Amino acid sequence: MSNANNSKFDPFCSKKHQCKDCDNRCVNQIAFLKDLPMEFQNALMLKAEYKKFKKDAYIFHEGDSVDAVTIVRKGKIKLTITDSDGREKIIGIFSSNDTIWEGIFLDNSVYPYNAVCLTDTHIWKIYRKDVELAVEDAALAKNVISMLSRKLHDANERNLIMSISDPEAKVAKFLLYRDRQDHNGVINLRLDDIAASVALRPETVSRKLSKLIELGYIERVSKSGIRILDYHKLNEFVDNK
């Protein structure tokens, strides 16, 4: 172990320490931090709180104060609201290295949604006071602006999916969107979570998935996994609907 200024911090470890053997790949995969100088990454992450949650646990609830940036180190989280009929609606799904931080710079900001673990999940929390000090640095401020732009683009894409009236095209477009988000070639979501994401009934989603399988555009991978087999034809399918 070393306390040298150029040592690298391993944020995935359960204890906070600096390790000379860490290659820092964990931090360098996070858009919020990856372009910062190493000493800045270390200083910020040494203040971060590391937490583990079990599947179906709540990381925060609708109405809780926004007191920190939440970085998903490992696992998958869904952001949910409940509509007037008592049904769950998923407004976002976040995977490893994604960041939840909307509202962090607004006074008296509260979360407009719940954050629920779809899998066992590990997170870091970087508290507001530390983030506010950090954004005085020009490099991090630039990263924040870039992230805002990506979040806006992502929100526009989700709105486009919700605007599609044809159920088959909506499900197909959602699968294309999730595949780009997950980066691992397999979309691992339960039927109920897909349905809640596109505002369709689970039985409707099931039928549409079966149709896309029959057409040869996708395939099932285990109980809750879906793999896209032909991106070009699936895109054409959506465009022609």
Side-chain angles (χ1 to χ4, degrees):
M1 305 302 296
S2 170
N3 291 320
N5 290 335
N6 62 353
S7 61
K8 298 177 180 179
F9 179 69
D10 178 4
F12 188 47
C13 296
S14 58
K15 296 181 180 179
K16 291 182 177 180
H17 63 269
Q18 289 179 312
C19 179
K20 64 182 179 180
D21 297 322
C22 177
D23 62 9
N24 217 44
R25 285 178 297 176
C26 297
V27 170
N28 283 334
Q29 293 170 1
I30 300 169
F32 186 64
L33 300 169
K34 67 179 182 179
D35 295 328
L36 297 181
M38 186 65 62
E39 62 272 16
F40 205 106
Q41 293 179 1
N42 288 349
L44 197 56
M45 292 309 300
L46 281 168
K47 298 176 182 179
E49 184 177 2
Y50 178 74
K51 291 187 173 184
K52 298 179 181 179
F53 294 85
K54 293 293 186 181
K55 180 181 177 182
D56 296 326
Y58 281 72
I59 292 177
F60 53 77
H61 293 80
E62 181 179 350
D64 287 350
S65 296
V66 180
D67 62 347
V69 169
T70 299
I71 300 172
V72 184
R73 169 61 189 94
K74 182 180 180 182
K76 190 171 289 186
I77 296 168
K78 62 179 178 180
L79 303 184
T80 72
I81 59 173
T82 303
D83 67 15
S84 58
D85 295 324
R87 293 178 299 185
E88 178 186 80
K89 287 190 174 181
I90 296 177
I91 59 173
I93 296 174
F94 290 73
S95 303
S96 300
N97 303 318
D98 284 339
T99 305
I100 306 169
W101 61 287
E102 288 84 351
I104 189 67
F105 300 118
L106 301 177
D107 291 335
N108 303 315
S109 180
V110 298
Y111 290 109
Y113 37 62
N114 305 298
V116 186
C117 296
L118 288 168
T119 64
D120 289 353
T121 301
H122 303 180
I123 69 165
W124 298 309
K125 292 185 73 174
I126 304 177
Y127 285 93
R128 177 174 175 169
K129 58 183 175 57
D130 298 316
V131 177
E132 288 177 339
L133 288 173
V135 294
E136 295 177 5
D137 180 88
L140 185 53
K142 182 179 179 182
N143 278 13
V144 169
I145 293 171
S146 296
M147 288 181 65
L148 278 171
S149 298
R150 287 193 294 272
K151 292 287 186 182
L152 179 59
H153 176 78
D154 184 71
N156 289 338
E157 190 167 7
R158 292 200 307 269
N159 287 336
L160 176 61
I161 293 169
M162 297 306 294
S163 71
I164 297 172
S165 58
D166 182 87
E168 280 181 7
K170 180 180 280 191
V171 171
K173 186 70 172 179
F174 176 75
L175 294 178
L176 289 164
Y177 164 76
R178 277 312 316 168
D179 186 76
R180 290 194 297 273
Q181 298 294 315
D182 288 350
H183 305 298
N184 62 3
V186 177
I187 303 160
N188 286 300
L189 286 176
R190 295 176 298 189
L191 182 64
D192 287 350
D193 292 326
I194 296 175
S197 297
V198 295
L200 294 172
R201 296 184 180 278
E203 54 269 28
T204 301
V205 172
S206 179
R207 289 197 303 270
K208 302 313 175 185
L209 289 175
S210 295
K211 179 64 175 180
L212 295 174
I213 292 171
E214 181 184 329
L215 291 170
Y217 299 156
I218 65 174
E219 68 175 354
R220 285 284 188 185
V221 181
S222 72
K223 185 176 180 180
S224 59
I226 298 169
R227 179 184 290 119
I228 296 175
L229 298 176
D230 194 320
Y231 294 87
H232 178 68
K233 287 186 177 179
L234 192 57
N235 269 304
E236 278 191 342
F237 176 82
V238 174
D239 293 340
N240 291 332
K241 281 288 185 176

